[in-house]
Amino acid sequence: MKFVAFLAWLVTFGVIVFLVIQPVSLNTHFVTAMIVIIVIAVLKMFDRRGVLRAIVLALGAAVVLRYVYWRTTSTIPPVTELTNFVPGILLYLAEMYSVLMLFLALFTIADPFDRPRRALSQDDVRPTVDVFVPSLNEGAQFLATTLSAAKQLDYPSDRLAVYLLDDGGTDERREAADPAVAEAARNRRKELQALAHKLGVKYLTRGANINAKAGNLNNGLAHSCGEFVVVFDADHAPARDFLNETLGHFADDERLFLVQTPHFFINPDPLEHNLETWNRMPSENEMFYGVIQKGLDKWNASFFCGSAAVLRRSALEEIGGFAGTSVTEDAETSLELHARGWNSAYVERPMIAGLQPETFANFIGQRSRWCQGMTQILMLRNPLLRPGLSVAQRLSYLSSMCYWLFPLARTIFLFAPLCYLFFGLSIFEASGAEFAGYTITYLAVNVLLQNYLWSGVRWPFISELYETIQSVYLVRALGSVLVSPKRPTFRVTAKGETNRASRISELGAPFYVIFFLLAAGVVAMGWRVVAQPSNADIALVVGGWNLFNLLLMGAALGVVAERRQLRTSQRVAIERPAEIIFGDRVIPARIDDVSITGARILVPANGIRQVRPGDDVVMRFKPAAPLASNELPLTVRSVLRDDAGMALGAEFAVADPKQYALVADLVFADSQEWVRFQAARREGIGVVRGTVEFVQLSLYQTVRGLSYLLTSSAPKGAAEVGGEEERTAPIQRGARVTRFPGADPSAVVTTGNPPAIVAGSAVTRSLNPAVDR
């Protein structure tokens, strides 16, 4: 059956290729392409699965291949004209990269797999589970909430162990040459040991920070024994149903090594915050977790994303633990296990809530690591050359890795029009009519295909905007790893930061320079139209391309013009009954929204009119998990009164770490909250509306971004991003090593009162106190 399907696909592909290379006139091509565009637009209104989906993808692919044939055979400048040929061939290669990525994407998501729900039943055996929460520099309050949420997972307590894997309190850091770093590490270890003891979780650290996060996780493997391992990042707090919705899949497949779930975020990224799209537009990661991972799952190629996942211990032991060659240990580990014949699964339900970088500088730092890590794997563990993978898995991994080469192509697309507008270079051998007939129709089909495939999770031109704001800095990060694949090292991304005032990001200057350069290109276009009327058609077409780039860069100015952000924690709207205890009075109330630091509580008009800011009250509510207490102390910070009652803005006055269990229950217990919020933003919009929205957004953000030049200035001390490595001390020669890279046999594990600390490896070099890995 598979051979017949493959043969049918091969014959179809051959027919398409035969048709696209036939010599036809420009008018014939244009009319045919327009018919295809109309057909795709009509078919968008019908079911986007099965035969109709295949027809749309085939028609779109035919137009793209026709463009590729014309572009390859008719438009490249002669090699004898080097000033035209060099930039021309670079543009051609950038376009062919984009075509390659389009076809890899079409293959990957040709038939996304909606995996059926497999919850644990009463008859299912409950295996032992170890929950790892790796940490480097996160604060105790931050960790307390995540650890409390992990402790409240709906699972037998005698089958569940929660570990705090602390890489910020290692012996290496405690003995650092820098006294400030050493003191901070000693205080951190003491504080987190006490916190772990109070919360009933196990504290684990090690001698040296070997292999970064992968080494930390491997140290956890070496000092635990559960049949399954769950990984939650320090800011990824799970809902109670996480294990019930994931472990059942392992019972059905003994060769399943991974169940990955989405990363859901309760705060906007810098683009969403600064452009104010958070509540109405799907987040950037929903394209990956809403469509791409399901497409990968179809080909048994969904991969570990570093958190919100369950892994089988025996599979990890087979490859010696989490892989640590690259700075993206998650995807590398998955590649190794897929190559050994293990299977993976993806469950789309969001069951953790995490945080995204709040500032543009930290956003770029995070994406630099992702870019470098996936490129490292491509160069050092190339899936095309990896034995054991199926053809579909090779193509799926290739798609995920090659995507991160986009900074090179995006940079070329950004500046290519200026070659003609400024210097009159002929880097694209075509008339204005040919450019419109071939290139415009190709771009139109491309946009339609993207909207057809992603409309519910990505609005038109938002992908281009995200790539543009990253490319300015990721070019450097990508270049460093291409030159030296083993150089980059892991860096934690800072979360929970604030902006005390609106300002231009410390990384914003290049965007303003590029904007004014592109604006000068608009002036050059006008000059060429007037001074060279015989070439006005070419000037207008190339100028239109430059104008689109200007719109992208104008929107990018809005991203780097950072709005004030005073909240250190994001509030989540909930509807939950409660009681407020004030003195000897008990008043019915309703919790309106909540964060990990406080809540907004609505009290009826006949409630406590005399409460004032600074007063201490107690909030009583029914937790979702069986907890020892249901009362949480609060300090009132604000009071708003009207005829309907009062709204109290209150801060949690946590006196006992065990009370963080109540905070976690309020904020994170119910995954259905995330499902509803996510569904509310997944509104599919068409190309026309999406184009109008994008143009309006770009024009407004251009004005707002330029206004910041007059009202704001970036702070001094720009963050270093891309290519710089964290310098940590190597383990001494002769030190004992377990079979898990990075594991430390002298690790500190505490489950009750902290034991005596056994010294680990000595430090031979000092640590950088400003770690951002």
Side-chain angles (χ1 to χ4, degrees):
M1 188 67 182
K2 288 184 178 179
F3 175 76
V4 173
F6 174 76
L7 187 62
W9 178 88
L10 195 63
V11 170
T12 303
F13 180 76
V15 171
I16 291 176
V17 171
F18 175 76
L19 292 175
V20 300
I21 63 175
Q22 298 306 303
V24 296
S25 67
L26 177 60
N27 287 340
T28 302
H29 167 81
F30 181 77
V31 171
T32 304
M34 290 305 298
I35 292 174
V36 169
I37 289 171
I38 292 170
V39 171
I40 294 176
V42 171
L43 292 181
K44 279 182 58 186
M45 298 183 288
F46 297 91
D47 186 14
R48 301 187 186 183
R49 293 172 294 180
V51 175
L52 291 182
R53 186 183 185 91
I55 291 173
V56 167
L57 298 187
L59 289 174
V63 173
V64 172
L65 286 174
R66 176 64 187 174
Y67 173 78
V68 169
Y69 176 72
W70 170 77
R71 184 76 172 87
T72 304
T73 59
S74 305
T75 65
I76 300 176
V79 70
T80 54
E81 301 175 6
L82 285 180
T83 54
N84 292 327
F85 177 78
V86 172
I89 200 67
L90 289 176
L91 176 60
Y92 172 79
L93 293 175
E95 289 187 68
M96 293 307 104
Y97 161 80
S98 298
V99 171
L100 171 65
M101 294 311 302
L102 173 63
F103 280 108
L104 286 174
L106 294 182
F107 170 81
T108 302
I109 62 170
D111 186 21
F113 180 41
D114 290 305
R115 185 172 290 274
R117 185 187 179 205
R118 175 56 169 92
L120 284 175
S121 67
Q122 294 294 329
D123 298 329
D124 285 324
V125 175
R126 266 56 176 176
T128 53
V129 177
D130 294 324
V131 177
F132 291 167
V133 180
S135 173
L136 176 70
N137 52 15
E138 294 81 6
Q141 181 188 27
F142 211 72
L143 291 166
T145 309
T146 300
L147 293 169
S148 297
K151 284 287 291 182
Q152 292 178 55
L153 288 168
D154 186 12
Y155 203 72
S157 59
D158 62 334
R159 313 293 287 171
L160 179 70
V162 179
Y163 290 80
L164 170 57
L165 307 182
D166 179 26
D167 247 11
T170 59
D171 293 341
E172 177 182 5
R173 291 181 179 276
R174 293 171 71 248
E175 300 166 7
D178 187 328
V181 173
E183 180 66 19
R186 287 191 289 269
N187 293 338
R188 176 184 173 84
R189 180 185 284 192
K190 182 178 179 180
E191 180 184 25
L192 294 188
Q193 281 183 315
L195 175 67
H197 172 57
K198 284 282 189 179
L199 296 179
V201 306
K202 299 181 181 181
Y203 176 90
L204 176 63
T205 190
R206 52 186 177 147
N209 299 72
I210 303 299
N211 284 344
K213 183 179 178 181
N216 196 9
L217 292 173
N218 286 334
N219 195 49
L221 284 176
H223 293 87
S224 61
C225 58
E227 298 168 68
F228 293 93
V229 171
V230 178
V231 181
F232 296 128
D233 280 347
D235 61 300
H236 285 188
R240 296 195 70 237
D241 59 352
F242 183 87
L243 291 177
N244 284 331
E245 296 290 338
T246 53
L247 281 177
H249 295 280
F250 290 97
D252 298 337
D253 182 359
E254 62 181 15
R255 291 294 295 172
L256 187 69
F257 81 88
L258 167 74
V259 173
Q260 178 66 55
T261 71
H263 293 184
F264 174 82
F265 299 110
I266 59 174
N267 70 313
D269 67 26
L271 184 147
E272 293 169 318
H273 174 67
N274 296 322
L275 304 191
E276 297 183 320
T277 62
W278 166 247
N279 288 315
R280 62 190 183 92
M281 186 180 77
S283 284
E284 183 205 17
N285 71 326
E286 289 188 38
M287 180 173 166
F288 177 73
Y289 289 110
V291 178
I292 294 176
Q293 275 281 45
K294 292 197 296 183
L296 295 172
D297 200 21
K298 169 74 175 181
W299 307 114
N300 190 26
S302 57
F303 57 84
F304 178 37
C305 298
S307 180
V310 187
L311 300 102
R312 193 187 295 268
R313 176 182 290 269
S314 59
L316 291 170
E317 289 177 340
E318 184 178 308
I319 63 169
F322 293 91
T325 302
S326 73
V327 295
T328 47
E329 80 296 328
D330 38 23
E332 184 183 355
T333 300
S334 297
L335 178 64
E336 292 292 324
L337 287 167
H338 276 135
R340 290 179 180 240
W342 288 89
N343 304 321
S344 62
Y346 174 66
V347 174
E348 189 186 3
R349 183 181 180 88
M351 290 178 288
I352 64 96
L355 295 176
Q356 302 185 87
E358 285 85 358
T359 66
F360 183 69
N362 283 323
F363 173 81
I364 291 297
Q366 179 192 65
R367 300 313 167 94
S368 295
R369 176 168 62 84
W370 293 357
C371 174
Q372 291 179 320
M374 295 302 274
T375 307
Q376 279 182 302
I377 300 174
L378 178 64
M379 298 180 69
L380 302 174
R381 299 281 190 271
N382 194 311
L384 294 180
L385 306 176
R386 194 73 177 164
L389 297 174
S390 68
V391 172
Q393 287 175 322
R394 294 178 195 276
L395 294 177
S396 297
Y397 271 106
L398 189 67
S399 176
S400 299
M401 295 171 188
C402 286
Y403 166 77
W404 289 99
L405 300 177
F406 75 81
L408 299 176
R410 184 60 56 190
T411 302
I412 291 171
F413 293 148
L414 197 61
F415 294 110
L418 301 181
C419 291
Y420 174 76
L421 296 176
F422 285 168
F423 309 111
L425 298 181
S426 180
I427 66 174
F428 196 116
E429 296 283 335
S431 66
E434 289 174 325
F435 190 95
Y438 284 98
T439 306
I440 301 301
T441 53
Y442 156 70
L443 293 175
V445 167
N446 209 318
V447 171
L448 271 174
L449 281 178
Q450 290 184 46
N451 190 247
Y452 180 88
L453 296 169
W454 320 107
S455 61
V457 295
R458 179 61 53 85
W459 286 9
F461 306 111
I462 297 301
S463 289
E464 287 80 0
L465 178 56
Y466 268 105
E467 290 182 4
T468 298
I469 64 175
Q470 295 175 77
S471 294
V472 173
Y473 284 97
L474 262 58
V475 164
R476 175 189 171 193
L478 183 59
S480 70
V481 74
L482 290 174
V483 171
S484 181
K486 295 185 178 181
R487 182 187 177 194
T489 56
F490 192 96
R491 297 182 178 191
V492 165
T493 304
K495 310 285 180 63
E497 293 193 323
T498 60
N499 276 333
R500 304 303 298 177
S502 297
R503 64 187 180 93
I504 296 174
S505 167
E506 59 265 46
L507 302 183
F511 293 91
Y512 286 89
V513 173
I514 295 171
F515 176 84
F516 288 118
L517 191 65
L518 298 178
V522 175
V523 176
M525 176 196 69
W527 176 83
R528 287 194 176 275
V529 169
V530 174
Q532 301 172 352
S534 60
N535 294 325
D537 57 342
I538 297 178
L540 288 172
V541 169
V542 178
W545 178 6
N546 180 69
L547 189 60
F548 173 74
N549 288 341
L550 188 64
L551 287 173
L552 280 175
M553 196 52 60
L557 295 187
V559 178
V560 299
E562 298 195 290
R563 298 179 188 271
R564 187 173 64 165
Q565 169 63 282
L566 298 181
R567 290 193 184 279
T568 58
S569 58
Q570 189 70 22
R571 292 195 175 275
V572 178
I574 64 173
E575 290 276 345
R576 202 155 178 179
E579 293 177 330
I580 295 296
I581 304 173
F582 183 57
D584 58 354
R585 298 189 61 190
V586 179
I587 299 93
R590 178 168 59 86
I591 307 172
D592 187 53
D593 66 39
V594 67
S595 73
I596 64 172
T597 58
R600 184 174 185 264
I601 306 144
L602 304 182
V603 181
N606 59 351
I608 42 177
R609 303 290 296 183
Q610 66 270 37
V611 71
R612 297 286 186 273
D615 287 343
D616 293 325
V617 300
V618 173
M619 180 171 67
R620 179 190 296 160
F621 64 95
K622 182 180 179 180
L627 300 176
S629 172
N630 65 346
E631 295 184 352
L632 188 60
L634 309 174
T635 299
V636 177
R637 295 303 183 196
S638 65
V639 179
L640 296 176
R641 292 184 173 89
D642 60 23
D643 294 338
M646 290 190 302
L648 305 181
E651 181 182 0
F652 298 137
V654 176
D656 185 337
K658 292 181 179 179
Q659 291 172 334
Y660 280 110
L662 290 168
V663 177
D665 188 276
L666 276 174
V667 184
F668 303 111
D670 186 10
S671 65
Q672 194 60 34
E673 294 285 346
W674 319 135
V675 173
R676 284 193 292 265
F677 180 78
Q678 190 176 72
R681 293 190 305 180
R682 287 190 173 180
E683 177 192 4
I685 67 172
V687 173
V688 174
R689 179 185 162 191
T691 301
V692 172
E693 290 263 5
F694 173 72
V695 172
Q696 289 177 339
L697 178 143
S698 296
L699 293 176
Y700 174 75
Q701 296 302 331
T702 298
V703 174
R704 191 179 73 85
L706 292 175
S707 72
Y708 271 48
L709 287 175
L710 304 177
T711 60
S712 305
S713 59
K716 296 180 180 179
E720 292 186 6
V721 296
E724 295 302 318
E725 62 180 354
E726 175 194 353
R727 290 175 168 79
T728 56
I731 191 167
Q732 282 189 326
R733 292 184 181 273
R736 291 193 301 132
V737 181
T738 71
R739 63 197 181 107
F740 298 118
D744 186 352
S746 62
V748 180
V749 186
T750 63
T751 56
N753 292 325
I757 307 299
V758 181
S761 304
V763 174
T764 58
R765 281 193 292 174
S766 64
L767 293 170
N768 182 350
V771 175
D772 177 28
R773 71 179 173 97

